[in-house]
Amino acid sequence: PLTAFAIAMEVLGLLRDEDDNPRGQGRGLFVSGATLEEVEAAEERRKQIQAERLSFAKQETGILKLVQSKNHFLRLGLPEPRWDSQGNPIWDCSERALTRVYDEAKKCCHPEWSFHPRRKQGFELLTEAYDTLSDRNGKRDEYVRKVVNEARERERLLEELQKGKLDGQVSTNSRSTDDAAELREQMAAKTKRMLQEARALKKRPGAAPAPSSTASSGAASSVESSAPRRRYGAPQADEPDSLPLDDDGVDVPAKKSQATAREQKNKKKRRVGVF
């Protein structure tokens, strides 16, 4: 008969050999134990992991964030440290809050939670960030001071850059004002010269005065009224007595105008329905 310990070991072997990856890209590495209590705890943890496991896309997004983040604070989603008036670093995060963000971040790369091919790389970065900020490796103070110095240097460079841009804007504005004043002077001189030329042209002897709009319109109307109106088809004095005819006896100009009108009408018909 099998004892309870043998049954537990058999269950442990089944858990170790079970492929829990639904996408066929590897297996989750569950941490088991040597005693019955540890095996039961491993089983409960396995059920919890399967219930809360992230999708492959979310695992990849989390690992990509860990790889692209420039410091440990961004990897864990924590605010970066600041400094006081004397330049001393200021950063405070409780152990409970740090553990909570770590438990949430490990779902994308922990060997028990993730089946992504790059889970090992992401988990190494996450472990390094957690060990440093929790001061497990004794490097938290030094790392916080380093991040603060880098942030202060970036702000100093940004202030210098903004100051340089403002100086450049002031000089640019002054140059544009000078250019506008010079352009106005040139336009005034050109307008004055054109007026002088127009006055000199009027005073020139033998120059005929420009007719007014009223006189010109009256002359045009008198010419139009005195000119005989042309009746369609009737020959004028400067025109030949007969228009050129084709073989059928039809006026060539009239035939051309009819053909042109017919062609335009056909073009309009062809345009209908074209998108």
Side-chain angles (χ1 to χ4, degrees):
L2 297 177
T3 60
F5 183 76
I7 294 175
M9 291 296 101
E10 184 178 358
V11 172
L12 179 61
L14 293 175
L15 292 176
R16 185 181 297 110
D17 298 335
E18 181 180 358
D19 186 4
D20 62 292
N21 180 12
R23 300 175 67 94
Q25 298 184 9
R27 294 186 301 174
L29 304 178
F30 290 107
V31 178
S32 58
T35 63
L36 183 60
E37 290 78 9
E38 293 178 354
V39 172
E40 291 179 353
E43 178 66 15
E44 293 296 331
R45 186 169 60 255
R46 187 180 71 86
K47 292 180 180 179
Q48 178 187 2
I49 290 173
Q50 288 184 348
E52 301 179 7
R53 173 171 288 167
L54 301 178
S55 62
F56 185 83
K58 291 183 178 180
Q59 292 179 19
E60 188 169 7
T61 302
I63 294 175
L64 187 63
K65 176 185 176 183
L66 293 172
V67 173
Q68 293 181 346
S69 298
K70 61 182 181 180
N71 55 44
H72 298 334
F73 301 96
L74 298 180
R75 289 193 180 107
L76 292 175
L78 296 174
E80 295 184 354
R82 303 299 298 173
W83 56 91
D84 55 10
S85 58
Q86 298 179 357
N88 298 321
I90 301 176
W91 187 77
D92 186 17
C93 183
S94 63
E95 188 70 23
R96 183 177 179 180
L98 192 60
T99 304
R100 184 173 64 253
V101 296
Y102 170 77
D103 292 340
E104 187 66 25
K106 74 178 183 180
K107 293 181 180 180
C108 67
C109 59
H110 195 280
E112 287 188 338
W113 289 79
S114 176
F115 47 83
H116 195 278
R118 298 182 63 182
R119 60 184 175 185
K120 182 178 180 181
Q121 179 185 6
F123 187 63
E124 289 177 355
L125 295 173
L126 180 62
T127 304
E128 181 185 4
Y130 179 71
D131 292 344
T132 301
L133 298 184
S134 62
D135 205 18
R136 291 188 175 184
N137 52 13
K139 299 179 180 179
R140 180 173 60 187
D141 296 340
E142 180 182 357
Y143 185 78
V144 171
R145 193 178 300 108
K146 175 185 175 183
V147 173
V148 167
N149 293 335
E150 293 177 354
R152 293 182 62 186
E153 182 66 17
R154 285 196 303 270
E155 287 198 1
R156 185 185 65 82
L157 294 176
L158 183 61
E159 290 178 358
E160 292 181 357
L161 180 62
Q162 291 178 350
K163 184 178 179 181
K165 283 186 176 180
L166 291 176
D167 295 343
Q169 289 178 0
V170 171
S171 58
T172 303
N173 292 336
S174 61
R175 287 196 301 270
S176 61
T177 304
D178 298 339
D179 295 342
E182 184 179 358
L183 182 61
R184 284 195 296 269
E185 292 178 359
Q186 293 178 0
M187 292 296 295
K190 184 176 180 180
T191 304
K192 184 177 180 180
R193 186 171 61 254
M194 292 176 64
L195 290 175
Q196 292 177 354
E197 292 177 356
R199 291 172 182 172
L201 184 61
K202 288 182 179 179
K203 294 179 180 180
R204 185 179 301 172
S212 62
S213 59
T214 306
S216 60
S217 61
S221 60
S222 62
V223 170
E224 290 179 357
S225 60
S226 61
R229 294 188 177 181
R230 175 181 177 181
R231 186 167 55 86
Y232 181 78
Q236 298 295 320
D238 55 346
E239 293 181 356
D241 296 339
S242 61
L243 296 174
L245 304 177
D246 59 358
D247 298 338
D248 299 333
V250 182
D251 295 346
V252 174
K255 189 174 182 180
K256 288 184 179 180
S257 61
Q258 292 176 2
T260 304
R262 188 164 51 252
E263 184 179 357
Q264 292 179 356
K265 186 176 181 180
N266 293 335
K267 286 183 179 180
K268 290 182 179 179
K269 288 183 179 180
R270 287 197 297 269
R271 289 197 200 102
V272 177
V274 178
F275 296 91

